[in-house]
């Protein structure tokens, strides 16, 4: 599969997810502002992928800084970090990656500027490689929770496309599939941007993992019929008490799962844990454009013009609905999530 994001010949290359599965196109960014726009426009999306891309974007920006002192360099770099921070509000991986890049620069303030400019590229690449390793660890821990013959429901896309590679929730599914467990995936289409239909179904089909696409509205009925045995989703931010922000509709799936006695797991790397948030109610929820709801692909209207619209991109699932959180350090019950950071 084409990498979600990569550094090549002094540019950041992003697989344009807004066009999938219709077109497979790579966007080449030569300026950090193009990277900010790519994140805003969902050309690259998914919490870990956003973090990795932001780090790459800052490395790109750093190359363009012409400074005669570290202070001048740092001031210009800070402007780029502020701009990057404004891209999207919910996925904490964005802020995690920006903070890490800022710290990296500051800790090298006594070094030559050209050397720092080279090193930030390596740091962004290290963040990318770590993300893949964390996902593989999540996959291995999560696969142990899945038994042969199970049908697993997932919401949105927490796959290779949402990360630097392998995926979190889909990493669990990939690892289970590799160990020859005869599993099947039910993918929620995930209105309004259809990450489930366009992206999850696409990447699982490429791997030959049996997948059935359903409308979001069908999940409850399938659970009632006993056709779903386990749910696994990704996360955009996990609060210290184990509440989880993820794609809008995740909360509904979790409530349905609890009502039907079905285990509901969240898979996420440690970079998604935000212990500064005591509970999920403090997590900022992105509100996106009404046209995502009133049109198909911004082209075909499906609602009357001028109708009032609410379009929260994420919701918060309280810890009590979550069976366990699968991290790169192991599986924990939600209220123990802070121990992963400790
Ligand atoms: O709006 P998106 O597509 O960025 O939302 C993505 C999700 O909600 C994912 O489930 C989450 O980021 C986890 S990705 C491993």
């Amino acid at each position: 599969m084409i990498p979600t994001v990569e550094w090549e010949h002094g540019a950041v290359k992003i697989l344009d997810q807004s066009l999938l599965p219709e077109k497979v196109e790579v966007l080449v960014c030569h300026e950090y502002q193009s990277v900010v726009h790519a994140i805003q426009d969902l050309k690259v999306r998914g919490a870990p992928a956003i973090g990795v891309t932001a780090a790459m974007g800052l490395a790109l920006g750093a190359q363009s800084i012409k400074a005669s002192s570290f202070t001048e360099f740092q001031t210009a770099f800070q402007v780029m970090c502020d701009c990057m921070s404004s891209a999207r509000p919910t996925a904490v991986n964005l802020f995690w990656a920006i903070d890490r890049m800022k710290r990296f620069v500051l800790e090298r303030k006594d070094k030559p500027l050209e050397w720092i400019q080279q090193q930030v590229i390596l740091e962004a690449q290290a963040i990318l490689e770590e993300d893949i390793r964390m996902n593989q660890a999540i996959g291995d821990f999560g696969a142990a929770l899945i038994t042969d013959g199970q049908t697993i429901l997932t919401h949105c896309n927490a796959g290779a496309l949402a990360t630097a590679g392998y995926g979190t929730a889909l990493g669990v599914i990939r690892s289970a599939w590799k160990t020859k467990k005869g599993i099947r995936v039910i993918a929620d289409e995930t209105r309004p941007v259809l990450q489930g239909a366009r992206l999850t179904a696409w990447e699982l089909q490429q791997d030959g993992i049996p997948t059935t696409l359903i409308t979001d509205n069908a999940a409850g009925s399938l659970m009632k019929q006993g056709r779903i045995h386990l749910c696994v989703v990704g996360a955009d931010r996990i609060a210290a008490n184990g509440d989880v922000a993820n794609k809008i509709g995740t909360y509904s799936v979790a409530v349905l799962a609890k009502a039907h006695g079905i285990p509901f797991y969240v898979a996420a790397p440690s970079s998604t844990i935000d212990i500064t948030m005591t509970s999920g109610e403090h997590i900022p929820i992105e509100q996106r454009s009404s046209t995502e709801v009133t049109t198909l692909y911004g082209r075909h209207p499906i609602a009357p013009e001028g109708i009032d619209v609410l379009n929260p991109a994420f919701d918060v699932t309280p810890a009590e609905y979550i069976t366990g959180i699968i991290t790169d350090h192991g599986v924990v019950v939600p209220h123990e999530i802070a121990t992963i950071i400790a």
Side-chain angles (χ1 to χ4, degrees), residues 173-194:
I173 287 165
R174 281 201 166 91
S175 293
W177 180 248
K178 270 203 231 157
T179 56
K180 307 267 179 264
K181 287 182 180 157
I183 54 168
R184 168 162 284 279
V185 178
I186 299 261
D188 276 351
E189 64 173 351
T190 318
R191 278 278 293 153
V193 184
L194 302 174

Side-chain angles (χ1 to χ4, degrees), residues 17 39 42 44-50 88 90-91 93 131 135 154-163 167-170 190 193 195 198-199 233-237 245-248 250 267-269 272 286 288 292 313-315:
Q17 298 186 35
I39 296 173
L42 309 187
V44 57
R45 33 65 51 201
I50 292 173
R88 292 186 76 187
T90 306
N93 307 60
D131 186 61
N135 293 334
T154 190
H155 190 72
C156 192
N157 172 267
L161 291 165
T163 61
T168 57
L170 297 196
T190 318
V193 184
Q195 289 93 334
R198 296 188 304 104
L199 309 176
V233 300
D236 282 84
R237 200 186 287 232
N246 191 49
K247 179 53 56 194
I248 192 74
T250 302
T272 305
E286 178 181 12
R288 291 192 62 90
E292 286 182 353
F314 301 95
D315 59 27

Side-chain angles (χ1 to χ4, degrees), residues 69 85 92 109 163 194 199 202 206 232 234:
S69 66
S85 302
V92 75
K109 63 172 186 284
T163 61
L194 302 174
L199 309 176
W202 185 74
Q206 288 198 355
V232 60

Side-chain angles (χ1 to χ4, degrees), residues 1-2 53 64 77 82 84 117 126 147 151 199 215 225 263 274 318:
M1 204 162 107
I2 298 169
T53 307
S64 66
F77 193 64
D82 291 345
M84 196 62 79
Q117 282 171 312
T147 49
T151 296
L199 309 176
T215 62
Q225 294 167 43
D274 182 359

Side-chain angles (χ1 to χ4, degrees), residues 62-298:
Q63 308 310 304
S64 66
I65 300 175
K66 311 248 178 292
S68 49
S69 66
F70 179 81
T71 312
E72 240 178 83
F73 180 85
Q74 201 195 11
T75 307
F77 193 64
Q78 183 61 47
V79 170
M80 294 171 182
C81 291
D82 291 345
C83 179
M84 196 62 79
S85 302
S86 69
R88 292 186 76 187
T90 306
V92 75
N93 307 60
L94 173 71
F95 310 100
W96 174 88
I98 294 169
D99 283 350
R100 179 158 155 179
M101 293 298 280
K102 270 203 283 202
R103 234 182 8 255
F104 184 86
V105 166
L106 192 61
E107 282 166 5
R108 283 153 188 81
K109 63 172 186 284
D110 300 324
K111 303 279 186 196
L113 293 179
E114 304 75 49
W115 186 84
I116 295 177
Q117 282 171 312
Q118 280 310 304
Q119 293 298 308
V120 288
I121 302 172
L122 300 183
E123 182 64 359
Q125 262 158 348
I127 290 175
L128 182 147
E129 280 151 28
E130 278 169 34
D131 186 61
I132 299 175
R133 279 200 298 277
M134 287 196 284
N135 293 334
Q136 281 163 343
I138 290 169
D140 293 344
F141 285 122
L145 302 167
I146 294 174
T147 49
D148 200 15
Q150 281 191 323
T151 296
I152 303 152
L153 180 137
T154 190
H155 190 72
C156 192
N157 172 267
L161 291 165
T163 61
Y166 205 68
T168 57
L170 297 196
V172 170
I173 287 165
R174 281 201 166 91
S175 293
W177 180 248
K178 270 203 231 157
T179 56
K180 307 267 179 264
K181 287 182 180 157
I183 54 168
R184 168 162 284 279
V185 178
I186 299 261
D188 276 351
E189 64 173 351
T190 318
R191 278 278 293 153
V193 184
L194 302 174
Q195 289 93 334
R198 296 188 304 104
L199 309 176
T200 296
W202 185 74
E203 66 167 271
L204 290 178
Q205 192 180 54
Q206 288 198 355
D207 276 9
I209 301 175
T211 302
T212 303
L213 177 65
I214 61 166
T215 62
D216 299 326
N217 299 337
S221 165
L222 291 176
M223 286 185 189
K224 188 155 171 264
Q225 294 167 43
R227 293 168 71 178
I228 292 167
H229 307 115
L230 184 139
C231 302
V232 60
V233 300
D236 282 84
R237 200 186 287 232
I238 304 176
N241 70 344
D243 292 350
V244 169
N246 191 49
K247 179 53 56 194
I248 192 74
T250 302
Y251 172 55
S252 316
V253 173
V255 172
L256 282 169
K258 188 159 187 163
H260 293 92
I262 298 167
F264 179 91
Y265 287 98
V266 171
S270 25
S271 51
T272 305
I273 304 167
D274 182 359
I275 50 166
T276 69
M277 297 272 146
T278 49
S279 83
E281 68 188 87
H282 306 296
I283 299 175
I285 300 294
E286 178 181 12
Q287 303 292 324
R288 291 192 62 90
S289 155
S290 61
T291 56
E292 286 182 353
V293 179
T294 58
T295 67
L296 290 178
Y297 295 113

